[in-house]
């Protein structure tokens, strides 16, 4: 068996790594190994972003593929303790990574080898293409199950990229777990397979040559302008959320008053009888 050369390896604190190999000419495979399930911590996001920067700055343009060394998980989403203990996590860690992926100047492919839940599947959606292991894993937006609202770019990326609005509805409002075949049928992923299938796809589509003209990232920035703008304006997005919460509190107060008046009116009518 031919050994795939390692181009570089970056540590992910406290005990993980992201390794870059080159399974084919100008195809760069970034493999996450951040136990137990590749959570998107600030350290993970920073290392992932650095890996993308290294490839862009020091290597010939080609295709970037991401996957996991942990068979069960591509990524299990955010680490809530690290995500919410600091107000800087979203604007300084997660959103810069997502914007970089979404507008990256080379083609990107998420090779989803196992489960991708919540922010894990969102990260995969920031790639240009998605392949999924046909034998393992589920894709799921399970925020409904643990009571977390979706922030603007978390929602818009599915609205922009999914071909069917009913799939978007099922993902968000039912928290359905999609296996590989279901994900393919609904257009969440583009194809099924593992590394050999990804390499074949890259070869057949001549994907390694697409970044040569220098406009690949700019084309994507325009394609996905809505999500890009949300990722760039975290403060504005949070202001909208706060305003919506205040409006909802006011609406509930008016609602309570109306319902109470209806109850008194109903009791009065019953008393007359």
């Amino acid at each position: 068996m031919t050994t795939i050369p390692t181009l570089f390896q970056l540590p992910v604190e406290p005990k993980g790594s992201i390794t870059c190999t080159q399974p084919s000419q100008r195809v760069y495979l970034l493999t996450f190994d951040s136990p137990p399930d590749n959570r998107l911590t600030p350290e993970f996001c920073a290392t992932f972003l650095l890996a993308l920067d290294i490839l862009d700055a020091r290597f010939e343009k080609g295709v970037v593929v991401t996957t996991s060394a942990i068979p069960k998980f591509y990524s299990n989403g955010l680490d809530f303790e690290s995500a919410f203990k600091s107000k800087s996590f979203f604007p300084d860690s997660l959103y810069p990574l997502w914007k970089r992926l979404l507008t990256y100047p080379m083609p990107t492919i998420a090779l989803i080898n196992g489960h991708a839940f919540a922010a894990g599947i969102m990260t995969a959606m920031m790639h240009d293409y998605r392949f999924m292991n046909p034998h393992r894993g589920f894709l799921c937006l399970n925020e409904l199950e643990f009571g977390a609202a979706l922030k603007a770019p978390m929602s818009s990326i599915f609205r922009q990229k999914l071909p069917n609005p009913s799939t978007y509805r099922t993902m968000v409002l039912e928290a359905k777990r999609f296996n590989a075949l279901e994900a393919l049928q609904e257009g969440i992923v583009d194809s099924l397979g593992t590394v050999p299938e990804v390499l074949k796809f890259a070869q057949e589509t001549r994907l390694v040559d697409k970044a040569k003209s220098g406009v690949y990232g700019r084309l994507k920035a325009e394609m996905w302008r809505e999500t890009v703008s949300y990722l760039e304006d975290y403060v504005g997005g949070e202001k909208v959320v706060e305003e919506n919460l205040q409006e909802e509190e006011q609406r509930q107060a008016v609602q309570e008053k109306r319902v109470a008046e209806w109850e008194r009116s109903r009791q009065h009518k019953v008393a007359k009888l």
Side-chain angles (χ1 to χ4, degrees):
M1 177 180 291
T2 304
T3 302
I4 300 175
T6 297
L7 300 181
F8 59 86
Q9 185 175 71
L10 305 174
V12 178
E13 297 297 334
K15 55 180 180 179
S17 66
I18 294 179
T19 303
C20 182
T21 55
Q22 191 171 3
S24 182
Q25 186 176 11
R26 289 189 289 142
V27 176
Y28 308 110
L29 179 63
L30 294 177
T31 303
F32 317 137
D33 188 3
S34 186
D37 51 8
N38 293 327
R39 294 276 178 166
L40 296 166
T41 62
E43 295 79 12
F44 182 95
C45 292
T47 305
F48 192 172
L49 189 56
L50 176 58
L52 294 172
D53 287 346
I54 292 170
L55 288 174
D56 186 25
R58 293 292 183 264
F59 289 87
E60 190 177 3
K61 294 292 184 286
V63 178
V64 177
V65 183
T66 68
T67 194
S68 170
I70 302 170
K72 186 176 180 180
F73 293 100
Y74 177 78
S75 172
N76 207 17
L78 300 182
D79 176 80
F80 276 86
E81 182 179 354
S82 62
F84 291 99
K85 72 180 181 182
S86 171
K87 292 183 179 180
S88 67
F89 172 73
F90 287 95
D92 295 343
S93 294
L94 185 64
Y95 284 12
L97 171 63
W98 281 356
K99 181 186 174 185
R100 184 70 162 135
L101 279 170
L102 193 58
T103 62
Y104 199 63
M106 303 182 215
T108 57
I109 303 173
L111 174 51
I112 306 170
N113 57 291
H115 300 316
F117 276 41
I121 180 58
M122 295 171 196
T123 301
M125 293 299 296
M126 300 296 168
H127 292 64
D128 300 321
Y129 303 93
R130 282 155 296 285
F131 275 63
M132 187 171 178
N133 183 343
H135 306 299
R136 182 194 295 271
F138 291 96
L139 308 183
C140 180
L141 286 178
N142 58 334
E143 281 75 7
L144 176 68
E145 296 176 341
F146 55 86
L150 293 175
K151 295 182 181 294
M154 295 176 169
S155 188
S156 68
I157 192 64
F158 293 95
R159 188 165 58 248
Q160 287 196 286
K161 287 197 173 185
L162 291 180
N164 192 335
S166 66
T167 305
Y168 174 57
R169 178 189 62 199
T170 300
M171 293 184 78
V172 175
L173 298 183
E174 298 177 25
K176 175 182 170 62
R177 298 186 178 196
F178 292 82
N179 63 31
L181 183 58
E182 291 170 330
L184 178 64
Q185 292 171 339
E186 295 294 337
I188 305 170
V189 301
D190 299 285
S191 190
L192 304 183
T194 56
V195 172
E197 287 74 26
V198 170
L199 296 179
K200 181 180 179 183
F201 171 75
Q203 180 181 20
E204 290 178 346
T205 57
R206 299 179 63 185
L207 215 56
V208 294
D209 296 324
K210 302 304 180 185
K212 285 184 175 180
S213 66
V215 297
Y216 203 83
R218 290 162 55 194
L219 290 171
K220 292 193 288 186
E222 180 57 33
M223 286 176 66
W224 314 123
R225 182 193 291 183
E226 178 188 356
T227 300
V228 170
S229 66
Y230 287 141
L231 291 170
E232 291 175 336
D233 188 18
Y234 172 77
V235 174
E238 292 302 289
K239 182 179 179 181
V240 170
V241 170
E242 182 61 30
E243 290 173 349
N244 288 342
L245 288 174
Q246 292 176 357
E247 289 179 2
E248 176 60 14
E249 290 177 358
Q250 295 170 359
R251 187 202 63 77
Q252 289 181 0
V254 172
Q255 169 185 279
E256 181 60 30
K257 182 179 179 180
R258 286 203 307 263
V259 173
E261 289 175 350
W262 170 78
E263 288 174 333
R264 287 194 296 270
S265 173
R266 188 166 178 263
Q267 290 171 356
H268 181 69
K269 290 179 181 179
V270 171
K272 283 187 174 181
L273 295 177

